[in-house]
Amino acid sequence: MSTILIGIAGGTGFGKTTLTRHLKEHFGPEVTVIGHDNYYKRQDGKTLEERAKVNYDHPAAFDTELLIEHLKELKEGRPIRCPVYSYVEHNRTEETREILPTKVIIVKGILIFQNPTLRDMFDIKIFVETDADVRILRRALRDVEERGRTLQSVVTQYLTTVKPMHEQYVEPSRKFADIIVLEGGRNLVALEMIMQRIRAHIDTP
Ligand SMILES: Nc1ncnc2c1ncn2[C@@H]1O[C@H](COP(=O)(O)OP(=O)(O)O)[C@@H](O)[C@H]1O
Ligand SMILES: Nc1ccn([C@@H]2O[C@H](COP(=O)(O)O)[C@@H](O)[C@H]2O)c(=O)n1
């Protein structure tokens, strides 16, 4: 079985998860989705308050080596156990999730094109983009509704780590993309083109 790896990158709130969800809903078990966020390093030994202050937008926050290892395993046709992450606890949980090898593997994350080894593994690199004001508003709503945050904490985190790391690491990785998708979450033309490419690969014996 030949496997293609598709990377979906872009800053927080750009619409990566929304685009990926559409693809997963369309292809079901034929496509596997893995988040770089699942590979955030453990923060054991710190209090919740200390864990909340970690810079989660810096490349050093991720165990990218483990993700690379897991992607190699999947490409070799072997299943992996993917870590499960909790944004509420700011830590990996004790759980892992079995992921079976499929012909198409999608990896999403803010910094997946920043690490050269990981970046070079992707057959297709997609960067999703949305205006900064729209995405911060979306992130604020999402973090309060789904990730157990206060509005004040979202604003503080955005100004102290998210924005500077975006400028230093995420935005410069845009130039490595093969395709830029504007309004990622709801760009139906782009979605259809990506679906056609995935379908062509799945249908190739
Ligand atoms: N085109 C869009 N219009 C309105 N809301 C959107 C759109 N795309 C995404 N969203 C919302 O914005 C929030 C962030 O999008 P998400 O896909 O989670 O971004 P990312 O994974 O890049 O951080 C989510 O709550 C999502 O429902
Ligand atoms: N404990 C954590 C871990 C990560 N984050 C933020 O998540 C963002 C990446 O996820 P997206 O779905 O938004 O791409 C990143 O910007 C981190 O700041 C967090 O807030 N808390």
Side-chain angles (χ1 to χ4, degrees), residues 15-81:
K16 302 180 293 298
T17 306
T18 308
L19 175 64
T20 308
R21 197 174 49 240
H22 286 311
L23 294 173
K24 182 67 188 160
E25 278 167 6
H26 185 80
F27 290 103
E30 292 180 300
V31 162
T32 295
V33 176
I34 299 181
H36 196 193
D37 289 14
N38 289 94
Y39 292 80
Y40 271 121
K41 286 179 184 159
R42 299 202 70 94
Q43 300 292 337
D44 299 339
K46 293 191 176 111
T47 63
L48 180 62
E49 201 186 333
E50 286 165 341
R51 295 201 297 274
K53 287 189 184 142
V54 169
N55 180 349
Y56 291 105
D57 293 73
H58 191 279
F62 295 87
D63 185 355
T64 302
E65 292 310 311
L66 182 62
L67 172 61
I68 291 170
E69 228 175 86
H70 279 176
L71 292 176
K72 284 182 185 161
E73 289 288 313
L74 286 168
K75 280 201 88 156
E76 295 286 320
R78 289 186 288 273
I80 57 136
R81 295 213 67 92

Side-chain angles (χ1 to χ4, degrees), residues 11-18 138 142 146 183 185-186:
T12 180
F14 273 34
K16 302 180 293 298
T17 306
T18 308
R138 282 184 194 161
R142 181 197 63 189
E146 297 170 25
E183 267 303 322
R186 312 238 163 112

